Amino acid sequence: MSAGLLLLRLLLAALLFGHAAQKLLGWFRGLGPDGTAAVFESWGFRPGRPMVLLAGTCELVGAVLLGAGAVTPLAAAVVMGTMIVAAAPSAANGLWAHLGGCEVPFLYGSLALVVAVTGPGNWSVDHAVGADDFSGVPWAVAAAVLAAVSAVPPLLLRRRNLRGAGEDVEAGRVGP
């Protein structure tokens, strides 16, 4: 089981690292901070550049911590919170990615929750330092609550920004 958990953690960490590198560095055909900022702003996450830096940093920190199996409930909370926010712009399109849905952030957040429930396994920093007691359902629930609470401010900011943009569009102050 430990080998499977290690593989799960490393695969999720690699994907999260890739997403962070697209945002922060423009790697893997990403747009980098400035290009991604324009996309974030179109989604209502303004100001775009700071929001990109925050999202990319959260993905990177989550990737490193989950990959190492270190502070696993906190790492899972960081990933889940980031993915809750990431799902917001595409949630209205449903689940499936090929229809523009939120499948990818849902999957990444769900996998982080799975790791929080199971714990990182024996091949992890948490196991090496004797922090194995910090896993299981109670810690996973705490991580999920922390993630949801942490996602509220950027989601409220997005909602406010989109309402303001809608009012501006209706008043003729913003182009199409």
Side-chain angles (χ1 to χ4, degrees):
M1 182 157 91
S2 288
L5 289 172
L6 176 63
L7 182 60
L8 174 67
R9 290 191 348 256
L10 292 178
L11 290 172
L12 179 56
L15 291 168
L16 290 167
F17 174 83
H19 274 268
Q22 287 176 317
K23 289 174 187 68
L24 298 175
L25 304 168
W27 292 2
F28 310 114
R29 296 177 15 182
L31 300 174
D34 294 329
T36 307
V39 174
F40 270 43
E41 290 198 7
S42 75
W43 290 336
F45 295 116
R46 291 187 287 271
R49 187 174 172 85
M51 295 298 281
V52 167
L53 296 176
L54 177 61
T57 300
C58 287
E59 288 173 349
L60 184 59
V61 167
V64 169
L65 292 176
L66 279 179
V71 205
T72 301
L74 180 60
V78 169
V79 171
M80 288 186 289
T82 305
M83 294 302 117
I84 290 168
V85 175
S90 58
N93 298 328
L95 178 63
W96 305 115
H98 75 284
L99 298 174
C102 61
E103 181 179 0
V104 171
F106 175 79
L107 178 62
Y108 293 176
S110 297
L111 291 175
L113 179 60
V114 167
V115 172
V117 169
T118 63
N122 292 337
W123 298 344
S124 66
V125 170
D126 283 353
H127 180 73
V129 300
D132 294 69
D133 293 340
F134 298 105
S135 63
V137 173
W139 287 99
V141 169
V145 168
L146 178 59
V149 169
S150 298
V152 169
L155 293 174
L156 289 176
L157 177 64
R158 175 180 186 260
R159 183 176 179 177
R160 186 191 76 198
N161 289 338
L162 290 175
R163 280 187 174 167
E167 292 166 6
D168 289 343
V169 169
E170 290 172 12
R173 291 188 291 261
V174 176

